[in-house]
Amino acid sequence: MNIDLVKRIVLPLLVLIVIIQVWSGIAHTVEDFPTPSDTYVAAFGGLNEYDDEVVGVLSDPFYIENVDDKGIFWQIMESLKRVFGGFALALIIGVPLGLLIGMSKNAQYAFDPFIQIFKPVSPLAWLPLLLFIFQDINLTAISTIFITSIWPIIINTALGVKSVSEDYMNVAKVLQFTPMEKVVQIILPVAIPFIFTGMRLSLAIAWLVIVAAEMLTGGIGIGFWIWDEYNNLAYHNIIIGIIIVGLVGFLLDTIMGLIANYFDYTKKGRA
Amino acid sequence: MSEFLSLKGVEKRFPIFGKDDYVAVTDVNLEIKKNEIISIIGHSGCGKSTLLNMIAGLDMQSEGSIELNGKKIRGPGPERAVVFQNHSLLPWLTSYQNIEMAVKKVMPELSSIELRVRVEKYVSMVNLEHAKDKVPGELSGGMKQRVGIARALSINPEVLLMDEPFGALDSLTRANLQEHLMRIQQSVKNTVIIITHDIDEAVLLSDRVIMMTNGPNATIGEILEVNLERPRKRVELQHDPEYIRCREAILSFLYEKFAKEDE
């Protein structure tokens, strides 16, 4: 038996036991704080502490009661749609802009100060302004994610372009490549692993930001759902929400990592 | 057609902020004949790479002119192919694709079959049939450099410029590649300019050896004719009086007339 595999399974389980102990401790001290078993029942259904039959959040994630009352699956889908909408927009604008900044010193001088100033601003600071412009929850959330995602994409794309070795460019010069051929045949292959690193960072931050953004915009989405459960005094659902957000984020990052590796010529197991 | 490639009064200056320009090479005059193999030898910092880059068109001279077939060189072009010291293969393409990319660009009129035939021909010229579908990361240094040579030759250049092509290789691999180069040169017959700091390599490969003085203000110090029959056999040459004469001439130039202390 692979001893490393055993460790990888057993050690996290030990930590899980500690976490549940601490959690129970908190639940005993803080009044009305959900215990692990309450939360389990709230998630998967069963009998609650008053012996009432409860339908779990996760036992029917696909229900649609009405526009304002949908299962947790739909909440997550709504958040994901916004994240990918904003993320896709950021890609469409960020990659060409990053290529330009990486290739042209003038473009770098022109844009760099603005990138440096706007990059550290929390995207949530833009949210009221965007809400005022669009007067629409969805567009506001998407454009907030756009602003979140665009900086790492621009910066990493430009970095990728700059890491193209002088030697490759000399090859391109001797062969008299046109600017377009240089981009497609030399610059993009070098820059793509960097672009994917930027995309992975962006997506991770976007997933962080969407929860907070939806708490502010309201309506639908996992962030709003968590806030709504707070207002409903259903604190166990907040814990369920946290775990689900974590799992989805982990899944997104893993998928992005796999895609990034697929396009990275240095990681094809042959370099 | 005596003047195939000619350099007249070539000088290269690099500006240094707040000081006088640094003159790397100056007053270089050289006529190179068609099909001639030339080595340029000198200590590091003598501007030999600068000279090669100017012929390649990757760098512009500050003074003087460089002409190929009576036409001034104004930039890089495929008629002057370069084999770079560090091979410069694109790491995401296989050996075959690296050569194919060059041929495709320079000879867009080829049909897909002609293209394949041509690429295969140059792959086998450097005996790399077994490695054609490998990426550079899977090849040894010598194999990479062979792909680099095949890529440079595949576009049918008038001049092959080699910037210390074997400098990064161990001596056995280097000898092996010199053999490859001599064998290929017998069949292809184009003009070759090799930058080197290896005396044996210079004598073995070239018709003439250009010896550069030390920089700054480096220029051509002496030109040595190597009157050895081809094909040349490395082992037999070791006792050949002409070979020994050439070696000694270069040795004396580099270590007596223009000796250089380690900085």
Side-chain angles (χ1 to χ4, degrees):
Chain A
M1 186 68 191
N2 188 337
I3 193 87
D4 196 54
L5 186 68
V6 175
K7 283 184 186 172
R8 276 169 179 274
I9 295 168
V10 172
L11 293 179
L13 285 177
L14 292 178
V15 175
L16 181 66
I17 291 169
V18 173
I19 289 173
I20 289 176
Q21 287 306 320
V22 172
W23 178 1
S24 300
I26 296 171
H28 278 291
T29 3
V30 182
E31 208 185 330
D32 288 340
F33 196 91
T35 61
S37 55
D38 288 345
T39 311
Y40 180 86
V41 170
F44 300 103
L47 296 175
N48 69 5
E49 67 229 80
Y50 314 110
D51 282 335
D52 294 331
E53 182 74 31
V54 173
V55 179
V57 172
L58 297 177
S59 21
D60 185 15
F62 302 109
Y63 81 87
I64 299 178
E65 187 67 36
N66 56 53
V67 187
D68 296 321
D69 186 6
K70 292 181 181 174
I72 188 97
F73 173 81
W74 302 110
Q75 307 287 342
I76 290 171
M77 284 314 285
E78 209 58 42
S79 300
L80 282 175
K81 266 194 239 164
R82 290 165 176 168
V83 163
F84 279 103
F87 181 67
L89 270 177
L91 263 186
I92 291 167
I93 294 174
V95 170
L97 197 58
L99 288 176
L100 181 72
I101 291 171
M103 284 189 281
S104 149
K105 263 265 177 301
N106 290 340
Q108 190 195 339
Y109 292 151
F111 289 106
D112 201 46
F114 302 100
I115 294 173
Q116 298 306 334
I117 290 168
F118 288 125
K119 186 184 63 164
V121 178
S122 166
L124 296 170
W126 291 88
L127 197 132
L129 194 63
L130 297 167
L131 196 57
F132 166 69
I133 296 171
F134 293 115
Q135 309 274 333
D136 175 277
I137 295 168
N138 240 331
L139 289 178
T140 304
I142 290 173
S143 48
T144 304
I145 294 303
F146 166 77
I147 293 172
T148 308
S149 311
I150 197 155
W151 311 117
I153 290 176
I154 293 179
I155 291 167
N156 279 280
T157 305
L159 185 70
V161 175
K162 282 191 198 129
S163 70
V164 174
S165 123
E166 187 69 23
D167 298 322
Y168 302 160
M169 294 320 285
N170 280 341
V171 172
K173 280 183 200 161
V174 169
L175 294 174
Q176 293 181 330
F177 275 9
T178 61
M180 198 59 204
E181 285 170 329
K182 277 185 195 164
V183 171
V184 174
Q185 302 209 33
I186 312 261
I187 293 173
L188 271 182
V190 176
I192 275 176
F194 289 84
I195 295 174
F196 274 100
T197 306
M199 286 167 68
R200 201 172 169 182
L201 283 170
S202 287
L203 196 59
I205 307 169
W207 190 241
L208 289 179
V209 167
I210 192 69
V211 174
E214 285 170 345
M215 285 182 177
L216 294 168
T217 56
I220 190 170
I222 187 71
F224 169 71
W225 184 82
I226 290 174
W227 192 247
D228 202 34
E229 295 309 301
Y230 168 77
N231 289 331
N232 295 339
L233 310 179
Y235 303 123
H236 38 73
N237 283 354
I238 298 176
I239 296 172
I240 296 167
I242 289 171
I243 294 169
I244 289 173
V245 169
L247 288 174
V248 172
F250 172 65
L251 199 67
L252 286 180
D253 192 57
T254 308
I255 293 169
M256 270 311 290
L258 289 176
I259 298 173
N261 282 352
Y262 179 78
F263 285 102
D264 186 346
Y265 67 90
T266 61
K267 285 192 187 142
K268 282 192 178 161
R270 51 185 197 182
Chain B
M1 278 290 286
S2 60
E3 293 183 5
F4 172 62
L5 178 63
S6 79
L7 290 81
K8 291 197 187 93
V10 172
E11 178 170 301
K12 179 69 187 175
R13 293 188 300 266
F14 293 100
I16 300 175
F17 185 75
K19 285 197 205 158
D20 290 342
D21 288 357
Y22 177 82
V23 181
V25 288
T26 185
D27 195 31
V28 173
N29 296 288
L30 184 62
E31 302 289 336
I32 297 168
K33 294 189 278 289
K34 215 173 164 64
N35 305 335
E36 197 175 15
I37 306 182
I38 296 275
S39 286
I40 301 176
I41 197 165
H43 292 289
S44 51
C46 73
K48 47 191 197 294
S49 287
T50 308
L51 202 57
L52 191 94
N53 281 342
M54 288 190 288
I55 299 172
L58 294 169
D59 216 338
M60 276 315 266
Q61 67 270 24
S62 317
E63 296 286 339
S65 73
I66 305 176
E67 293 183 359
L68 179 67
N69 284 326
K71 277 204 299 210
K72 279 205 166 55
I73 287 169
R74 296 193 191 282
E79 74 283 357
R80 283 161 285 125
V82 186
V83 176
F84 298 93
Q85 175 169 10
N86 54 359
H87 65 76
S88 297
L89 300 178
L90 302 182
W92 54 89
L93 299 181
T94 64
S95 313
Y96 183 93
Q97 290 167 334
N98 263 288
I99 301 171
E100 182 187 50
M101 172 203 70
V103 178
K104 232 184 201 165
K105 171 64 190 167
V106 177
M107 303 171 184
E109 71 283 358
L110 294 186
S111 71
S112 62
I113 296 166
E114 289 168 323
L115 176 71
R116 204 178 65 228
V117 169
R118 187 166 183 91
V119 176
E120 298 276 359
K121 176 183 154 194
Y122 285 90
V123 167
S124 50
M125 186 178 274
V126 291
N127 297 345
L128 279 177
E129 292 93 339
H130 61 287
K132 68 175 182 160
D133 294 324
K134 290 187 175 167
V135 292
E138 295 173 308
L139 303 177
S140 69
M143 286 157 89
K144 279 185 250 193
Q145 202 51 286
R146 269 146 71 189
V147 180
I149 292 171
R151 180 176 65 184
L153 288 172
S154 68
I155 54 176
N156 208 13
E158 294 182 69
V159 187
L160 183 63
L161 302 169
M162 309 181 87
D163 187 2
E164 298 195 22
F166 314 134
L169 305 173
D170 67 83
S171 56
L172 290 177
T173 311
R174 188 186 307 177
N176 179 315
L177 276 177
Q178 289 161 352
E179 301 292 336
H180 269 288
L181 186 64
M182 285 195 287
R183 179 177 52 73
I184 292 165
Q185 178 58 22
Q186 287 289 313
S187 56
V188 178
K189 292 242 191 283
N190 46 10
T191 310
V192 184
I193 301 175
I194 307 166
I195 301 288
T196 182
H197 49 232
D198 181 326
I199 295 170
D200 286 298
E201 182 168 283
V203 179
L204 183 69
L205 297 178
S206 27
D207 300 318
R208 279 194 295 165
V209 180
I210 313 294
M211 291 177 260
M212 301 282 292
T213 63
N214 293 330
N217 293 307
T219 187
I220 296 177
E222 281 177 32
I223 297 179
L224 175 81
E225 299 255 355
V226 182
N227 297 308
L228 288 169
E229 287 294 308
R230 290 181 191 274
R232 296 173 180 172
K233 291 267 186 294
R234 179 187 309 275
V235 181
E236 293 165 19
L237 283 177
Q238 296 305 318
H239 303 292
D240 189 301
E242 171 68 3
Y243 184 82
I244 294 167
R245 178 189 73 84
C246 293
R247 262 192 117 249
E248 281 173 354
I250 302 174
L251 271 171
S252 125
F253 179 89
L254 290 178
Y255 296 108
E256 286 167 9
K257 294 176 204 160
F258 289 96
K260 195 177 187 194
E261 299 292 320
D262 264 347
E263 281 113 323

